[in-house]
Amino acid sequence: MSAEAKGLRKNPIQEIFWTRTGLLLLILVVVSGLTMVLSANLDPGVGKNLVTSIATGTLVSAIVGFGQTLITATATQRAMLTPLVEESRQALRDLADEYRSMNREFFPTHVFEPTAEPNPAFNRLMMQDLQSTRQYLFRGFSGRHAAARLLLSRSEWEFRGVVADPANTSGISGRARYLIRHSPANVDVDTIQARLHEESRMGLVGLYLARSRCSRMEVTVISDPPLDRLEIFDDSVWVTLYSDAHAPAEYPRTLRFSEGSFIYNMERAEFGRISASRHAHHLVITPDLSRQEFIARFEKITNSRLTEEQFLELNQQFYEFLREFSVTAELGS
């Protein structure tokens, strides 16, 4: 929106012709012209000299008056109109800044609608945010997508994650309800819950496999994580709405908010509260953590034994998922 004063009178000369002074100057010029014409038709003598003097004086008065009026109009415009225009411009700039601030505070920078397959544009933008961050915070169901993103990148991060406890069915039921709406009618709840249980275990193994990409990984395992997936970077937060009961596709709607927005600050504070819970299991994974140490901690958290064969099977499942995800999301390998 522009604060320019637009109208018929755009400069001092136009200003003169739209006032009584302009009309007076016009009359003087007309009178001067007529008297000059009259003087040219008179015989030499006192009469002609008088008419010529009147014509000359009128013309001089018109020229001097025009100059004085122009100077006065310019000064008036500078003294009155220019400050008003500048004040209007500043008011509009302030209003525009306020609207931009409100947009940044409460409205997402990007909205990705539900899809049946991974959205390449969505994943490319998220990978750009991942590449430019130093800390990656993830809250979701299994963490397999977070592990995949880490392995498909070539940087090093500090990673903190909140994932569901594979041993607790209540943490699986929320995601199961969402998937049931997008599964064939002949697929029952038990089948979906068994699949999610395996994905949860595989996600923990995937995070262990991605340890080389992080200086330190802190994984909080809770019984019933919030249904929506959350990914926080230094400059943005991504909220994937699995809580949307009307989502028409397997991959639900996702909103991206910028750093400093209300949502960013709220979600970061909520993530800190959940990850610090004393009622959750906490798993620290460092680049030098051995497989046997991980298996021991895995068994302690999930209350289920993990044999070497089972670990290798979950390892294979994760890499199959990684290959499929990198192709469908067009992220390369």
Side-chain angles (χ1 to χ4, degrees):
M1 186 180 296
S2 173
E4 296 290 345
K6 296 185 180 295
L8 294 176
R9 291 176 286 180
K10 298 181 180 179
N11 55 57
I13 295 178
Q14 288 180 319
E15 183 73 24
I16 291 174
F17 283 103
W18 283 90
T19 63
R20 294 177 183 177
T21 304
L23 180 59
L24 177 59
L25 292 175
L26 180 61
I27 292 172
L28 291 175
V29 172
V30 172
V31 170
S32 176
L34 291 175
T35 52
M36 284 183 177
V37 172
L38 179 60
S39 173
N41 295 322
L42 291 177
D43 295 330
V46 177
K48 182 174 182 177
N49 293 338
L50 178 62
V51 173
T52 301
S53 298
I54 294 173
T56 304
T58 305
L59 182 60
V60 171
S61 298
I63 294 174
V64 172
F66 178 82
Q68 291 178 336
T69 304
L70 181 60
I71 294 172
T72 303
T74 302
T76 302
Q77 186 179 43
R78 290 178 178 175
M80 300 180 62
L81 183 59
T82 302
L84 181 61
V85 171
E86 288 301 321
E87 185 177 348
S88 299
R89 287 177 179 170
Q90 185 59 46
L92 288 175
R93 283 194 292 266
D94 293 342
L95 184 61
D97 291 342
E98 183 177 352
Y99 276 118
R100 280 194 292 268
S101 176
M102 289 179 62
N103 286 340
R104 187 173 182 271
E105 186 77 11
F106 297 104
F107 293 95
T109 60
H110 296 77
V111 176
F112 295 93
E113 297 300 335
T115 58
E117 297 291 338
N119 182 346
F122 165 94
N123 284 287
R124 281 194 297 270
L125 181 57
M126 181 175 285
M127 292 298 284
Q128 290 175 14
D129 283 356
L130 177 61
Q131 292 289 354
S132 61
T133 193
R134 292 302 304 162
Q135 188 178 60
Y136 179 20
L137 309 182
F138 174 88
R139 188 196 71 205
F141 176 70
S142 69
R144 59 182 184 146
H145 284 90
R149 296 187 194 285
L150 293 172
L151 285 171
L152 290 171
S153 302
R154 294 293 182 269
S155 298
E156 183 178 288
W157 300 271
E158 175 190 344
F159 176 83
R160 294 169 61 194
V162 174
V163 298
D165 187 348
N168 194 302
T169 56
S170 64
I172 296 176
S173 60
R175 182 61 61 88
R177 286 192 299 271
Y178 183 88
L179 293 178
I180 286 171
R181 296 197 296 269
H182 308 287
S183 300
N186 58 347
V187 178
D188 57 23
V189 178
D190 291 339
T191 301
I192 291 179
Q193 287 189 334
R195 167 191 155 190
L196 290 174
H197 176 76
E198 195 69 6
E199 286 182 2
S200 180
R201 288 161 53 89
M202 183 246 289
L204 286 175
V205 172
L207 290 174
Y208 169 73
L209 297 174
R211 68 194 186 282
S212 61
R213 297 287 192 268
C214 301
S215 58
R216 179 182 176 87
M217 304 179 77
E218 297 180 8
V219 182
T220 302
V221 181
I222 62 177
S223 60
D224 192 13
L227 191 55
D228 292 335
R229 186 171 67 208
L230 181 73
E231 292 171 87
I232 303 178
F233 306 99
D234 291 349
D235 299 323
S236 63
V237 58
W238 296 64
V239 184
T240 302
L241 302 175
Y242 282 97
S243 58
D244 184 2
H246 304 289
E250 181 175 352
Y251 293 88
R253 194 167 185 246
T254 299
L255 309 177
R256 179 189 183 274
F257 295 87
S258 63
E259 182 272 334
S261 66
F262 173 78
I263 299 298
Y264 183 95
N265 294 329
M266 181 186 71
E267 293 292 2
R268 196 174 185 100
E270 179 68 6
F271 180 91
R273 184 190 67 81
I274 294 176
S275 61
S277 173
R278 291 180 296 177
H279 304 290
H281 298 289
H282 299 281
L283 173 63
V284 176
I285 302 175
T286 56
D288 59 351
L289 183 68
S290 69
R291 180 187 301 180
Q292 293 305 318
E293 289 175 320
F294 171 76
I295 289 176
R297 297 179 187 182
F298 180 97
E299 292 178 351
K300 182 178 180 181
I301 289 175
T302 63
N303 292 320
S304 60
R305 187 169 179 269
L306 183 65
T307 64
E308 185 74 13
E309 292 75 15
Q310 290 172 331
F311 176 87
L312 294 176
E313 182 179 354
L314 291 172
N315 182 95
Q316 180 181 356
Q317 290 177 5
F318 175 77
Y319 276 109
E320 289 175 356
F321 161 76
L322 177 63
R323 284 192 293 271
E324 180 183 352
F325 174 67
S326 64
V327 171
T328 56
E330 300 180 10
L331 294 178
S333 58

